[in-house]
Amino acid sequence: MAQTSNPSPRPFSYPQPGAALHCDGVSLESLARRFDTPLYVYSAGQILARLRLFQQALAGRDHLVCYAVKANSALAILKLLAQNGAGFDIVSGGELQRVLAAAPDAVSRVVFSGVGKTAAEIDLALKTGILQFNVESEAELKLLAARARKFKIRARFALRVNPDVFADTHPYISTGLREHKFGIDIRLARAIYKEAANDRWLEAHGISVHIGSQIRSAVPFGAAIERVSKLVQQLSRKGIALQSIDAGGGLGIDYHAGVFDAAAKVEEYAAALEHALGDFKGRLLIEPGRFLVAQAGVLLARVLYVKRNGKKTFVITDAAMNDLIRPALYQAWHEIVPVRTRIGKGAGKPRIVDVVGPVCESGDFFARDRKLAPVEPGDLVALLDAGAYGMAQSSNYNTRPRAAEVLVEGNKARLIRRRESMEDLLSPEVL
Ligand code: LLP
């Protein structure tokens, strides 16, 4: 089991030199034999350890950790988190259906974010009784009020404000500036809350903010909450008392390092929020996704071929960009390690290689010019930190069935999603 005090950020290790890489107590070689590759493998222990870090760091105040389902929406993972007190941040009716399937009792701990909620999605969320709608535009608030009136169900809402705070991350996953499509300009929020107070089907329950993802510094989170806290005080002076502040998700991990003190990172983050909340006495919600699941997971792949083209050496694996698109989409770095390192004589020297998949695009790579211990066809490699936005962003591009997923609990492993079959892929189509 991953210990929170363990400086290694990952639950993956070699029990001794020359042994196969393990996830907690389970050998990845044995998992490849049982379930084949490409295969996602997650550690339940690590996911829970990370959840506890947030719960402990915020223990001094009323809080709720709403796991961002989009990061990894496997039902078994949702169930695990719900059983340990988590709520959920969802962004679609589909994600709500997942929560209902995995942990129906947790629906009262769901917040619903997203810039394009449809009437059907709003209806489902109203009827199932979610905690709060994080509303991203005036037009959406109007629609929410109309649907609430129709069903005679009062809608608890929070305005998702755009605080105009810069956070250093990849431009595709930065959301807190006025030029982004997300949220409502914080300068307009006060008037919208006042207007909404006249509608008996709307309950101004909270306020929310989310400035982006993979943000490594706690400073921008503090800056955003400071602006939000100020607005909450102004509203309270006008008689609008909000019960919760939702600080969003976005806390980043270190994709490069072998040493990363997750506990210290969470404490720093919690302290920045605490400081910015001032004397706000209500409930704090947070929506972490990546921080909970990224480092709990690997994508396990088998080397199919090793070939040279000109000066370059290519390691071609059976996993591809359809399984893990982050390197192609965000130039993201994922550590790649052989599952069994050769030791002693004949171990060979590390080589500079490109690790690529079989998809017919030059963008189908996991690593370029990367120093990798020598691998041969048939060897297994693990792509680390793939538990978040890996399987969740996978596709069937090139008519490739999606990978299977396995959850490791201590010394045991179980299949939580079977590999897709060709029947699965072809069945929606009509000739
Ligand atoms: N809350 C909201 C409203 C969000 O939009 C997101 C992520 C989160 C919470 C969770 O953020 P996290 O704690 O995971 O950073 N596909 C990209 C990441 C996209 C993030 C989108 N929103 C990637 O692979 O890096």
PDB file of all heavy atoms in Angstrom, residues 261-280:
ATOM      1  N   ASP A 261       6.756  15.196  -2.958  1.00  0.00           N
ATOM      2  CA  ASP A 261       6.098  15.112  -1.661  1.00  0.00           C
ATOM      3  C   ASP A 261       4.641  15.572  -1.805  1.00  0.00           C
ATOM      4  O   ASP A 261       4.331  16.749  -1.665  1.00  0.00           O
ATOM      5  CB  ASP A 261       6.866  15.967  -0.644  1.00  0.00           C
ATOM      6  CG  ASP A 261       6.416  15.671   0.781  1.00  0.00           C
ATOM      7  OD1 ASP A 261       5.288  15.123   0.940  1.00  0.00           O
ATOM      8  OD2 ASP A 261       7.167  15.971   1.710  1.00  0.00           O
ATOM      9  N   ALA A 262       3.785  14.610  -2.095  1.00  0.00           N
ATOM     10  CA  ALA A 262       2.374  14.928  -2.356  1.00  0.00           C
ATOM     11  C   ALA A 262       1.724  15.549  -1.120  1.00  0.00           C
ATOM     12  O   ALA A 262       0.925  16.481  -1.233  1.00  0.00           O
ATOM     13  CB  ALA A 262       1.627  13.666  -2.771  1.00  0.00           C
ATOM     14  N   ALA A 263       2.087  15.042   0.069  1.00  0.00           N
ATOM     15  CA  ALA A 263       1.472  15.556   1.296  1.00  0.00           C
ATOM     16  C   ALA A 263       1.808  17.031   1.487  1.00  0.00           C
ATOM     17  O   ALA A 263       0.932  17.852   1.805  1.00  0.00           O
ATOM     18  CB  ALA A 263       1.948  14.743   2.498  1.00  0.00           C
ATOM     19  N   ALA A 264       3.082  17.381   1.239  1.00  0.00           N
ATOM     20  CA  ALA A 264       3.496  18.782   1.405  1.00  0.00           C
ATOM     21  C   ALA A 264       2.770  19.669   0.398  1.00  0.00           C
ATOM     22  O   ALA A 264       2.362  20.793   0.705  1.00  0.00           O
ATOM     23  CB  ALA A 264       5.009  18.907   1.227  1.00  0.00           C
ATOM     24  N   LYS A 265       2.612  19.156  -0.812  1.00  0.00           N
ATOM     25  CA  LYS A 265       1.937  19.924  -1.869  1.00  0.00           C
ATOM     26  C   LYS A 265       0.482  20.222  -1.461  1.00  0.00           C
ATOM     27  O   LYS A 265       0.005  21.347  -1.615  1.00  0.00           O
ATOM     28  CB  LYS A 265       1.963  19.077  -3.151  1.00  0.00           C
ATOM     29  CG  LYS A 265       1.819  19.848  -4.397  1.00  0.00           C
ATOM     30  CD  LYS A 265       3.078  20.606  -4.774  1.00  0.00           C
ATOM     31  CE  LYS A 265       2.760  21.907  -5.458  1.00  0.00           C
ATOM     32  NZ  LYS A 265       3.786  22.918  -5.387  1.00  0.00           N
ATOM     33  N   VAL A 266      -0.190  19.204  -0.955  1.00  0.00           N
ATOM     34  CA  VAL A 266      -1.594  19.389  -0.568  1.00  0.00           C
ATOM     35  C   VAL A 266      -1.691  20.359   0.608  1.00  0.00           C
ATOM     36  O   VAL A 266      -2.579  21.218   0.646  1.00  0.00           O
ATOM     37  CB  VAL A 266      -2.259  18.037  -0.233  1.00  0.00           C
ATOM     38  CG1 VAL A 266      -3.642  18.237   0.368  1.00  0.00           C
ATOM     39  CG2 VAL A 266      -2.354  17.175  -1.491  1.00  0.00           C
ATOM     40  N   GLU A 267      -0.745  20.254   1.542  1.00  0.00           N
ATOM     41  CA  GLU A 267      -0.786  21.182   2.691  1.00  0.00           C
ATOM     42  C   GLU A 267      -0.587  22.629   2.243  1.00  0.00           C
ATOM     43  O   GLU A 267      -1.269  23.538   2.709  1.00  0.00           O
ATOM     44  CB  GLU A 267       0.271  20.799   3.722  1.00  0.00           C
ATOM     45  CG  GLU A 267      -0.302  19.839   4.753  1.00  0.00           C
ATOM     46  CD  GLU A 267       0.758  19.025   5.455  1.00  0.00           C
ATOM     47  OE1 GLU A 267       1.865  19.554   5.685  1.00  0.00           O
ATOM     48  OE2 GLU A 267       0.467  17.849   5.759  1.00  0.00           O
ATOM     49  N   GLU A 268       0.346  22.813   1.306  1.00  0.00           N
ATOM     50  CA  GLU A 268       0.612  24.162   0.789  1.00  0.00           C
ATOM     51  C   GLU A 268      -0.650  24.709   0.090  1.00  0.00           C
ATOM     52  O   GLU A 268      -1.028  25.872   0.276  1.00  0.00           O
ATOM     53  CB  GLU A 268       1.778  24.047  -0.204  1.00  0.00           C
ATOM     54  CG  GLU A 268       2.282  25.334  -0.785  1.00  0.00           C
ATOM     55  CD  GLU A 268       3.217  25.043  -1.978  1.00  0.00           C
ATOM     56  OE1 GLU A 268       3.795  23.931  -2.059  1.00  0.00           O
ATOM     57  OE2 GLU A 268       3.330  25.936  -2.838  1.00  0.00           O
ATOM     58  N   TYR A 269      -1.282  23.863  -0.666  1.00  0.00           N
ATOM     59  CA  TYR A 269      -2.502  24.239  -1.389  1.00  0.00           C
ATOM     60  C   TYR A 269      -3.613  24.595  -0.399  1.00  0.00           C
ATOM     61  O   TYR A 269      -4.258  25.648  -0.495  1.00  0.00           O
ATOM     62  CB  TYR A 269      -2.900  23.057  -2.270  1.00  0.00           C
ATOM     63  CG  TYR A 269      -4.257  23.113  -2.925  1.00  0.00           C
ATOM     64  CD1 TYR A 269      -4.493  23.932  -4.026  1.00  0.00           C
ATOM     65  CD2 TYR A 269      -5.301  22.298  -2.463  1.00  0.00           C
ATOM     66  CE1 TYR A 269      -5.737  23.949  -4.645  1.00  0.00           C
ATOM     67  CE2 TYR A 269      -6.545  22.313  -3.078  1.00  0.00           C
ATOM     68  CZ  TYR A 269      -6.761  23.141  -4.163  1.00  0.00           C
ATOM     69  OH  TYR A 269      -7.985  23.158  -4.774  1.00  0.00           O
ATOM     70  N   ALA A 270      -3.808  23.727   0.596  1.00  0.00           N
ATOM     71  CA  ALA A 270      -4.870  23.962   1.582  1.00  0.00           C
ATOM     72  C   ALA A 270      -4.605  25.249   2.362  1.00  0.00           C
ATOM     73  O   ALA A 270      -5.536  26.012   2.652  1.00  0.00           O
ATOM     74  CB  ALA A 270      -4.973  22.768   2.528  1.00  0.00           C
ATOM     75  N   ALA A 271      -3.323  25.492   2.670  1.00  0.00           N
ATOM     76  CA  ALA A 271      -2.984  26.708   3.427  1.00  0.00           C
ATOM     77  C   ALA A 271      -3.299  27.950   2.592  1.00  0.00           C
ATOM     78  O   ALA A 271      -3.813  28.945   3.118  1.00  0.00           O
ATOM     79  CB  ALA A 271      -1.503  26.684   3.817  1.00  0.00           C
ATOM     80  N   ALA A 272      -3.011  27.891   1.281  1.00  0.00           N
ATOM     81  CA  ALA A 272      -3.302  29.044   0.409  1.00  0.00           C
ATOM     82  C   ALA A 272      -4.809  29.303   0.369  1.00  0.00           C
ATOM     83  O   ALA A 272      -5.248  30.455   0.418  1.00  0.00           O
ATOM     84  CB  ALA A 272      -2.759  28.794  -0.994  1.00  0.00           C
ATOM     85  N   LEU A 273      -5.592  28.239   0.303  1.00  0.00           N
ATOM     86  CA  LEU A 273      -7.050  28.416   0.284  1.00  0.00           C
ATOM     87  C   LEU A 273      -7.530  28.973   1.620  1.00  0.00           C
ATOM     88  O   LEU A 273      -8.301  29.933   1.674  1.00  0.00           O
ATOM     89  CB  LEU A 273      -7.760  27.090   0.000  1.00  0.00           C
ATOM     90  CG  LEU A 273      -7.501  26.405  -1.347  1.00  0.00           C
ATOM     91  CD1 LEU A 273      -8.403  25.181  -1.502  1.00  0.00           C
ATOM     92  CD2 LEU A 273      -7.722  27.352  -2.520  1.00  0.00           C
ATOM     93  N   GLU A 274      -7.063  28.358   2.712  1.00  0.00           N
ATOM     94  CA  GLU A 274      -7.441  28.801   4.066  1.00  0.00           C
ATOM     95  C   GLU A 274      -7.205  30.305   4.226  1.00  0.00           C
ATOM     96  O   GLU A 274      -8.070  31.042   4.679  1.00  0.00           O
ATOM     97  CB  GLU A 274      -6.568  28.103   5.111  1.00  0.00           C
ATOM     98  CG  GLU A 274      -7.101  26.836   5.719  1.00  0.00           C
ATOM     99  CD  GLU A 274      -8.561  26.855   6.108  1.00  0.00           C
ATOM    100  OE1 GLU A 274      -9.049  27.869   6.635  1.00  0.00           O
ATOM    101  OE2 GLU A 274      -9.228  25.839   5.864  1.00  0.00           O
ATOM    102  N   HIS A 275      -5.995  30.713   3.865  1.00  0.00           N
ATOM    103  CA  HIS A 275      -5.609  32.106   4.028  1.00  0.00           C
ATOM    104  C   HIS A 275      -6.567  33.017   3.252  1.00  0.00           C
ATOM    105  O   HIS A 275      -7.040  34.030   3.753  1.00  0.00           O
ATOM    106  CB  HIS A 275      -4.171  32.285   3.549  1.00  0.00           C
ATOM    107  CG  HIS A 275      -3.678  33.687   3.670  1.00  0.00           C
ATOM    108  ND1 HIS A 275      -3.342  34.235   4.885  1.00  0.00           N
ATOM    109  CD2 HIS A 275      -3.509  34.658   2.743  1.00  0.00           C
ATOM    110  CE1 HIS A 275      -2.973  35.488   4.697  1.00  0.00           C
ATOM    111  NE2 HIS A 275      -3.070  35.767   3.404  1.00  0.00           N
ATOM    112  N   ALA A 276      -6.873  32.599   2.011  1.00  0.00           N
ATOM    113  CA  ALA A 276      -7.709  33.443   1.150  1.00  0.00           C
ATOM    114  C   ALA A 276      -9.168  33.434   1.583  1.00  0.00           C
ATOM    115  O   ALA A 276      -9.910  34.376   1.307  1.00  0.00           O
ATOM    116  CB  ALA A 276      -7.583  32.969  -0.295  1.00  0.00           C
ATOM    117  N   LEU A 277      -9.578  32.386   2.272  1.00  0.00           N
ATOM    118  CA  LEU A 277     -10.988  32.306   2.692  1.00  0.00           C
ATOM    119  C   LEU A 277     -11.294  33.256   3.836  1.00  0.00           C
ATOM    120  O   LEU A 277     -12.456  33.593   4.083  1.00  0.00           O
ATOM    121  CB  LEU A 277     -11.337  30.875   3.113  1.00  0.00           C
ATOM    122  CG  LEU A 277     -11.499  29.870   1.968  1.00  0.00           C
ATOM    123  CD1 LEU A 277     -11.556  28.452   2.513  1.00  0.00           C
ATOM    124  CD2 LEU A 277     -12.728  30.178   1.131  1.00  0.00           C
ATOM    125  N   GLY A 278     -10.241  33.682   4.525  1.00  0.00           N
ATOM    126  CA  GLY A 278     -10.427  34.634   5.634  1.00  0.00           C
ATOM    127  C   GLY A 278     -11.393  34.086   6.655  1.00  0.00           C
ATOM    128  O   GLY A 278     -11.261  32.945   7.090  1.00  0.00           O
ATOM    129  N   ASP A 279     -12.413  34.883   7.011  1.00  0.00           N
ATOM    130  CA  ASP A 279     -13.312  34.384   8.062  1.00  0.00           C
ATOM    131  C   ASP A 279     -14.608  33.804   7.477  1.00  0.00           C
ATOM    132  O   ASP A 279     -15.632  33.770   8.155  1.00  0.00           O
ATOM    133  CB  ASP A 279     -13.581  35.461   9.132  1.00  0.00           C
ATOM    134  CG  ASP A 279     -14.034  36.760   8.495  1.00  0.00           C
ATOM    135  OD1 ASP A 279     -14.373  36.730   7.288  1.00  0.00           O
ATOM    136  OD2 ASP A 279     -14.043  37.798   9.199  1.00  0.00           O
ATOM    137  N   PHE A 280     -14.555  33.321   6.249  1.00  0.00           N
ATOM    138  CA  PHE A 280     -15.713  32.632   5.658  1.00  0.00           C
ATOM    139  C   PHE A 280     -16.012  31.371   6.477  1.00  0.00           C
ATOM    140  O   PHE A 280     -15.144  30.536   6.695  1.00  0.00           O
ATOM    141  CB  PHE A 280     -15.410  32.265   4.199  1.00  0.00           C
ATOM    142  CG  PHE A 280     -16.500  31.462   3.538  1.00  0.00           C
ATOM    143  CD1 PHE A 280     -17.722  32.046   3.217  1.00  0.00           C
ATOM    144  CD2 PHE A 280     -16.303  30.115   3.250  1.00  0.00           C
ATOM    145  CE1 PHE A 280     -18.729  31.293   2.615  1.00  0.00           C
ATOM    146  CE2 PHE A 280     -17.304  29.366   2.642  1.00  0.00           C
ATOM    147  CZ  PHE A 280     -18.517  29.946   2.329  1.00  0.00           C
TER     148      PHE A 280
END
